[in-house]
Amino acid sequence: MKLFDSNILKIILLIFAFAFSPEAYTQKKLKIFISVDMEGIGGVGTPKMTSSSGKDYATARQLMTDEINTVIAAIFEFGDADILVNDSHGDMQNLLHLQLDPRVSYLQSNIKPLGMVQGLDSSFDAAIFIGYHAKAGNLGGFLAHTGSGSVKGLWINALEVGEGELNALYAGALDVPVVLASGDDKFSEEFTKTVKTRTVITKTAVGSSAAKLIHPDKVKEMLKNKTIEALENLKSAKPLNISEPVTVRFKSSTTTRADVIMSIPGMKRIDGTTVEYTAKSMDEAYRLIRVMYKYISW
Ligand SMILES: [Zn+2]
């Protein structure tokens, strides 16, 4: 009998090669997408704060920046990461980017066809939505709307959606789970009916234009804890299911806008203000929705 069977020797060498390879020691770098809106940021309690010409808008920008830096710090506390932050409110030029954690990439401006989900692709491990709000028509949701005031209702495959659900479906089509979302209590209640994830409630809505606030320091503490909890449970996070082709039903605030939208080939008229289109993918659906509410005006 030989002292070392050659096959056993090969196996031992393989085990050593694996044990000392860098992959065995370094955890995979996480890739996280963060979309940040403003209405649901802690400390924002008036409509004016969310408008660039309004009272205390500068404070809202600071609060928004501080919340995002808190989430980023928590992600890095968990492990090394590639993070893309997509500014998702109004003109999408809100974060004080000179104060933003330098370890992240920051996507600015609203002239982008995919708006709030621009930059998200299937290479990301998770998406986080910060500062969100309830959908158009939500009873009592703080500054509830969908895209803009020109949308009365939006349905994807017969499911009525707001910005949160729409963006979660877009992420779902890319197999990316939403692991954390924040906003007022009405947003949280509405969003978690469709998206099984954790939320941070940043304020209590008091009708559509007022909110009872939680101090921003307390909100940041909750965001930090929930971010770490979300990453600890990343393996069990489930992307939202979406079947393609995708039926988009869009209810405009005016019949004139619906008249103009009918110039898009393949568009069907449902009633005076409602149109419907079957898109081959969620990506096509999302781009079309953005064209309908943002670039077709009346
Ligand atoms: Zn917004």
Side-chain angles (χ1 to χ4, degrees), residues 37-39 88-90 133 145 163:
D37 207 343
M38 189 176 259
E39 292 84 347
S88 301
H89 174 72
H133 51 80
H145 66 279
E163 294 169 18

